[in-house]
Amino acid sequence: MEKENLVVFTGAGVSAESGVDTFRTDNGLWMNHKVEDVATPEGFKKDKDKVNEFYNNLRELESKKKPNGAHMLLSHLEDDYNVTIVTQNVDSLHERGGSSNVIHLHGELNKVRSLSNTNDVIYWGDKPITKEDNLRPHIVWFGEQPLDINKSIKSIKEADIMVIIGTSFNIEYTIELVNRCGLIPIYFIDPNPDTTIFGDKEVTFIREKAVKGMSQLYEILNKEKEINYN
Ligand code: NAD
């Protein structure tokens, strides 16, 4: 039997149990900085050192975090499905959890771009960027276009099952993006999900944190599989 296409759309919530702050964590890293200072092209132009320092810090912190059970279970799903992960996250926890097909809409902390040619993306690991490097973080800032959007739209249109984990949908284009899916089973794992974004489409809400929610979903999908085989 041909494998079904399962698309997973993730946000900061999937990494929260790995100890990575979500955007809106009280007193988290993001709370102590103005978005316009550290996450816009204008902010970078104004003070490159400040912005580099912010991402140097994030890069170092992230490199010490470990994938959690949700990242791991997502990679196990590849045994039974063609899995594509479309993530807003800039951490590498999906890859380090074993997932092989990950689209990073908002860039990746462990990569950098040359300032002389910003299409030149370089793997950088957990090293800091210094003044002399003439580089910028490979991060999509507010006001910039998300990456691989056409590839993401194609995957979502071709999805047979859609799973959403840990996102507030506060970034507006993401609502339109996930709504490109057809009338297919949709599962949304989040302790506090936005229940309005799918309009009339039927959604199964799993109101749990990512790790527990993913293990519940894993059981649901296994049960569905048994029914399909009988
Ligand atoms: P958000 O902070 O706006 O929303 C987080 C969502 O996760 C909320 O809906 C919340 O209810 C949910 N959540 C909190 N704890 C959870 C848990 N343990 N399990 C499951 N869900 C949980 O994040 P967003 O929607 O991803 O948008 C914020 C933007 O900030 C994105 O563009 C992202 O690139 C960026 N960001 C990325 C990271 C990362 O790479 N890990 C971290 C912070 C922010």
Side-chain angles (χ1 to χ4, degrees):
M1 214 159 75
E2 220 175 283
K3 285 180 178 178
E4 289 185 300
N5 297 329
L6 188 145
V7 175
V8 189
F9 183 74
T10 65
V14 75
S15 298
E17 286 160 277
S18 293
V20 181
D21 285 345
T22 64
F23 202 45
R24 286 159 188 88
T25 309
D26 286 344
N27 300 319
L29 220 122
W30 289 95
M31 274 288 171
N32 299 322
H33 292 85
K34 283 193 190 143
V35 165
E36 53 275 30
D37 288 349
V38 294
T40 61
E42 293 76 23
F44 186 64
K45 216 169 173 181
K46 206 166 110 193
D47 193 342
K48 288 194 178 57
D49 286 346
K50 182 179 186 173
V51 176
N52 278 331
E53 193 191 315
F54 177 77
Y55 289 99
N56 285 345
N57 193 5
L58 268 188
R59 193 178 300 112
E60 195 198 342
L61 280 174
E62 193 268 332
S63 70
K64 296 198 176 98
K65 305 295 180 190
K66 300 223 166 16
N68 63 46
H71 298 108
M72 302 301 226
L73 274 183
L74 287 172
S75 73
H76 291 322
L77 286 177
E78 293 186 11
D79 294 343
D80 296 308
Y81 300 93
N82 292 319
V83 180
T84 305
I85 297 187
V86 180
T87 187
Q88 299 166 84
N89 293 348
V90 294
D91 65 51
S92 60
L93 293 169
H94 283 305
E95 286 89 345
R96 289 197 273 131
S99 288
S100 59
N101 186 18
V102 187
I103 299 174
H104 284 272
L105 292 165
H106 298 161
E108 292 166 82
L109 271 173
N110 58 17
K111 293 183 181 166
V112 295
R113 293 185 220 161
S114 155
L115 282 181
S116 47
N117 173 10
T118 52
N119 292 323
D120 194 6
V121 177
I122 306 156
Y123 180 78
W124 195 250
D126 59 2
K127 297 188 296 266
I129 299 180
T130 65
K131 228 187 216 145
E132 292 73 38
D133 291 321
N134 205 30
L135 296 169
R136 62 163 275 181
H138 179 49
I139 298 290
V140 174
W141 288 320
F142 288 92
E144 297 182 320
Q145 290 301 313
L147 305 169
D148 288 329
I149 197 76
N150 290 332
K151 197 171 156 194
S152 306
I153 290 172
K154 184 171 185 292
S155 305
I156 290 171
K157 276 185 169 170
E158 291 173 357
D160 299 303
I161 300 172
M162 187 81 197
V163 177
I164 294 148
I165 311 176
T167 177
S168 62
F169 285 104
N170 275 330
I171 297 182
E172 219 165 287
Y173 83 91
T174 58
I175 298 179
E176 202 191 317
L177 177 64
V178 293
N179 268 295
R180 300 287 188 122
C181 72
L183 291 172
I184 54 170
I186 302 171
Y187 300 92
F188 190 169
I189 302 169
D190 194 305
N192 185 23
D194 183 337
T195 56
T196 63
I197 70 124
F198 278 106
D200 288 343
K201 288 194 183 110
E202 208 171 296
V203 181
T204 303
F205 292 101
I206 301 178
R207 293 169 198 268
E208 298 286 356
K209 291 183 177 177
V211 175
K212 189 168 176 198
M214 254 318 290
S215 64
Q216 287 184 8
L217 177 67
Y218 204 73
E219 275 179 32
I220 294 172
L221 292 175
N222 275 331
K223 279 205 188 103
E224 295 284 327
K225 229 173 30 200
E226 277 168 28
I227 293 167
N228 288 341
Y229 281 139
N230 293 328

